[in-house]
């Protein structure tokens, strides 16, 4: 456990030898070309190991107490999550007000762009260099090459969902020639992503991620590929890949290497508390590792409200509910049958502690109990739990939606959706759940999958990606909790009274990047020279 962190900590000083940082700006003179780097197996190992800790994977765990991980930005853009420090962390406020532009959130946009392209650059080096590294066995070479292909695809997937058309760069930079690259179509980006992931799947070991030293495995790449196919099928690409999404998800399901965590006999041993506290389980297909002594995260700090720091009991001097679901999101849960909505499951609203001989119970708005850690808050002051990026529950939901889209509401699709829902609705009979689903029309069933994704995946932060690909916006009701209706997102009004326009479905490219690269064009609606 924690192998990747330890390895990358040791090789951190070597990163400069394998990268062209900020390559859209300049190539550092001290960088060596790829064909002079890969002369020993250690060079190949190091070139791949550094891909694990930065770029898109880190966006699910980076950030701090004032602003959470980069991946949380989508929840703000959807208008369904809030941040107690949004007066300071203005990307939240601007997103809710739908007033983002290439200048006012330039730093955050640069973080996504630069972070992804740095890792893409390093992956390009590894993809070229690993196959020609002497003294690597064929199995090791294939594994390392599969990992490098995975990370190039994963970073491009994050970029294309965020910005749409982006520069497509697949060769290492060795000079300043052709340094400025124009945008390629989203379709072309997705073509590369699919090719990379399929090639990675053929090369990676067929063992669960958590039994593979937390290294990328075949089923990790398959989970991302199934997600890619599902996303491609929606907007803006609208390439019908639902059958491929179903086939890829089925490969994981039928392979039998993964399963859902079961509920224990008490609230404390529910599946959701097990996910919260356990780093190694075959439900996880991909996690981002944390280790309190080497590389920790700040997620426990944002599991408590701002006022909690004043109680004087925690190791943290500041806490902040930086990714707080607002009521319009919480309405999607029926708090009676849905275990996820019970206290100290996905969320919590109170905390009891002893101080000066007195028992005190504090209450507050719903906060993410999913990231709560007693050890971090009371002992270490460092978040040591791994961050879950892909779980088997999501694979089942991808399969249910993709099968319904390509084959109709089959018994198989119903089973997969029921598997996820029945774990949460643990006091409702499975047959009742199945009966309520199997009679639905195709459209109604698919909307039930979307609802279940909202309920199951708030901390994988999929809400904005789902809105982008479906072009549907969820509307909930305080008087009819446990459901949602879906309206066209363009023209929909968010909970902050702002109306979505077509342009809001992609982020602008940072004005800084526009100035650095004269070949770039801005996303429609964000040209700051046109007022």
């Amino acid at each position: 456990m924690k192998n990747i962190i330890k390895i990358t900590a040791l090789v951190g000083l070597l990163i400069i030898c394998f990268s062209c940082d900020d390559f859209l700006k300049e190539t550092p003179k001290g960088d060596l070309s790829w064909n002079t780097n890969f002369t020993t197996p250690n060079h190949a190992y190091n070139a791949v190991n550094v891909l694990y800790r930065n770029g898109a994977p880190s966006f699910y765990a980076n950030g701090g107490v004032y602003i959470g991980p980069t991946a949380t930005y989508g929840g703000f853009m959807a208008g369904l999550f809030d941040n107690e420090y949004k007066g300071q962390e203005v990307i939240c406020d601007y997103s809710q007000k739908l007033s983002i532009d290439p200048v006012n959130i330039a730093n955050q946009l640069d973080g996504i762009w630069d972070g992804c392209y740095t890792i893409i650059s390093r992956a390009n080096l590894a993809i070229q260099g690993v196959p020609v590294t002497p003294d690597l066995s064929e199995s090791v070479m294939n594994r390392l090459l599969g990992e490098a292909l995975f990370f190039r695809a994963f970073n491009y997937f994050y970029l294309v969902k965020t910005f749409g058309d982006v520069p497509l760069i697949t060769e290492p930079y060795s000079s300043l020639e052709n340094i400025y690259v124009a945008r390629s179509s989203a379709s072309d980006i997705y073509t590369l992503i699919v090719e990379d992931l399929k090639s990675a799947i053929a090369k990676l070991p067929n063992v669960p991620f958590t039994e593979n030293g937390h290294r990328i495995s075949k089923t990790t790449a398959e989970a991302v590929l199934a997600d890619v196919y599902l996303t491609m099928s929606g907007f803006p690409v609208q390439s019908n890949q639902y059958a491929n999404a179903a086939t890829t998800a089925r490969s994981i399901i039928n392979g039998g290497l993964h399963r859902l965590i079961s509920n224990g006999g008490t609230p404390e041993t529910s599946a959701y508390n097990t996910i919260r506290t356990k780093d190694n389980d075959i439900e996880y297909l991909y996690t981002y590792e944390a280790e309190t002594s080497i590389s920790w995260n700040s997620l426990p700090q944002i599991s408590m409200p701002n006022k909690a720091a004043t109680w004087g009991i925690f190791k943290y001097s500041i806490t902040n509910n930086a990714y707080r679901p607002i009521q319009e999101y919480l309405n999607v849960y029926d708090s009676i049958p849905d275990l996820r909505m019970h206290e100290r499951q996905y969320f919590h609203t109170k905390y009891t502690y002893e101080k000066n001989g007195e028992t005190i119970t504090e209450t507050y708005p719903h906060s993410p109990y999913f990231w709560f850690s007693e050890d971090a808050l009371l002992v270490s002051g460092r978040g040591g739990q791994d961050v879950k990026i892909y779980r088997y529950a999501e694979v089942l939901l991808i399969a249910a939606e993709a099968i319904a889209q390509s084959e109709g509401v089959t018994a198989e699709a119903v089973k997969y959706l029921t598997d996820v829902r029945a774990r949460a609705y643990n006091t409702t009979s499975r047959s009742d759940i199945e009966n309520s689903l199997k009679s639905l029309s195709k459209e109604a069933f698919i909307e039930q999958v979307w609802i279940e994704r909202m309920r199951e995946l708030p901390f994988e932060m999929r809400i904005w990606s789902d809105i982008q690909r479906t072009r549907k916006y969820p509307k909930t009701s305080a008087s009819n909790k446990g459901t949602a209706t879906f309206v066209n997102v363009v023209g929909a009004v968010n909970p902050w009274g702002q109306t979505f326009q077509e342009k809001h479905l992609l982020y602008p490219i940072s004005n800084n990047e526009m100035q650095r690269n004269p070949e770039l064009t801005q996303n429609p609606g964000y040209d700051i020279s046109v007022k």
Side-chain angles (χ1 to χ4, degrees), residues 236-284:
V237 175
Q238 293 184 281
S239 170
N240 188 336
Q241 299 291 330
Y242 289 118
N244 284 329
T247 297
T248 308
R250 279 179 174 132
S251 178
I252 299 170
I253 295 165
N254 296 334
L257 296 179
H258 298 275
R259 57 160 173 75
L260 293 176
I261 294 172
S262 299
N263 290 313
T266 66
E268 292 74 22
T269 58
S270 70
Y272 310 109
N273 271 313
T274 301
I275 294 167
R276 180 178 64 85
T277 58
K278 188 176 182 180
D279 285 346
N280 288 290
D281 194 276
I282 57 175
E283 176 161 345
Y284 316 145

Side-chain angles (χ1 to χ4, degrees), residues 17 33 41 58 91 104 202 264 295 389 395 414 450 503 511 517:
C17 296
S33 63
S58 72
I91 187 170
N104 64 17
S295 180
I389 299 177
V395 173
V414 169
W450 296 346
K503 72 172 187 176
N511 195 50
N517 182 357

Side-chain angles (χ1 to χ4, degrees), residues 39-226:
T39 56
T40 72
N42 278 343
H43 292 165
Y45 287 121
N46 293 340
V48 172
N49 287 338
V50 298
L51 305 177
Y52 277 81
R53 303 302 298 166
N54 297 288
S58 72
F59 296 163
Y60 295 86
N62 64 358
V65 64
Y66 299 113
I67 187 71
T70 297
T72 63
Y73 297 170
F76 304 141
M77 198 68 195
L80 295 170
F81 287 80
D82 203 6
N83 180 347
E84 288 182 297
Y85 266 92
K86 69 181 177 184
Q88 171 180 304
E89 303 301 328
V90 292
I91 187 170
C92 176
D93 188 46
Y94 291 151
S95 296
Q96 292 170 345
K97 292 177 180 176
L98 299 178
S99 62
I100 63 169
D101 66 41
V103 175
N104 64 17
I105 60 166
N107 289 339
Q108 291 84 358
L109 298 173
D110 285 342
I112 296 170
W113 187 279
D114 295 348
C116 287
Y117 272 116
T118 295
I119 294 303
I120 289 167
S121 176
R122 293 171 181 168
N124 287 339
L125 285 163
I127 291 165
Q128 290 248 9
V130 167
V132 298
T133 303
D135 301 322
L136 277 183
S137 69
E138 183 177 2
S139 62
V140 171
M141 185 271 288
N142 280 331
R143 174 175 64 79
L144 293 176
L145 184 55
E147 292 173 20
L149 288 162
F150 171 87
F151 283 111
R152 182 167 73 177
F154 193 70
N155 280 274
Y156 267 124
F157 188 34
Y158 203 99
L159 279 171
V160 75
K161 289 190 296 181
T162 303
F163 300 106
D165 301 350
V166 293
L168 181 59
I169 302 165
T170 59
E171 301 290 333
Y173 271 84
S174 57
S175 73
L176 293 177
E177 292 183 15
N178 302 315
I179 196 74
Y180 302 118
V181 181
R183 302 170 75 178
S184 293
S185 70
S187 294
D188 287 345
I189 303 298
Y190 275 112
T191 295
L192 175 75
I193 292 169
V194 170
E195 289 174 352
D196 278 358
L197 289 173
K198 290 171 72 173
S199 182
I201 288 165
K203 293 174 171 58
L204 292 166
N206 189 28
V207 293
F209 174 83
T210 52
E211 296 178 10
N212 191 37
H214 284 227
R215 300 191 75 95
I216 301 303
S217 67
K218 176 185 175 184
T219 53
T220 310
E222 285 181 318
V224 177
L225 180 58

Side-chain angles (χ1 to χ4, degrees), residues 406-468:
S406 57
E407 303 170 28
V409 184
T410 66
E412 184 186 13
V414 169
K415 177 188 182 304
Y416 297 149
L417 177 52
T418 300
D419 286 344
V420 178
R421 185 168 293 182
R423 180 170 69 173
Y425 283 55
N426 61 330
T427 60
T428 304
S429 75
R430 182 181 179 93
S431 61
D432 286 348
I433 296 172
E434 288 179 333
N435 289 335
S436 70
L437 295 171
K438 66 184 182 181
S439 61
L440 295 176
S441 68
K442 172 182 169 179
E443 291 73 20
F445 179 86
I446 290 167
E447 289 191 357
Q448 285 299 310
V449 179
W450 296 346
I451 288 170
E452 205 61 42
R453 287 178 64 88
M454 288 182 67
R455 295 168 176 161
E456 182 68 22
L457 307 173
F459 302 109
E460 282 81 3
M461 293 158 290
R462 302 289 193 253
I463 182 61
W464 185 239
S465 295
D466 283 346
I467 292 170
Q468 287 175 301

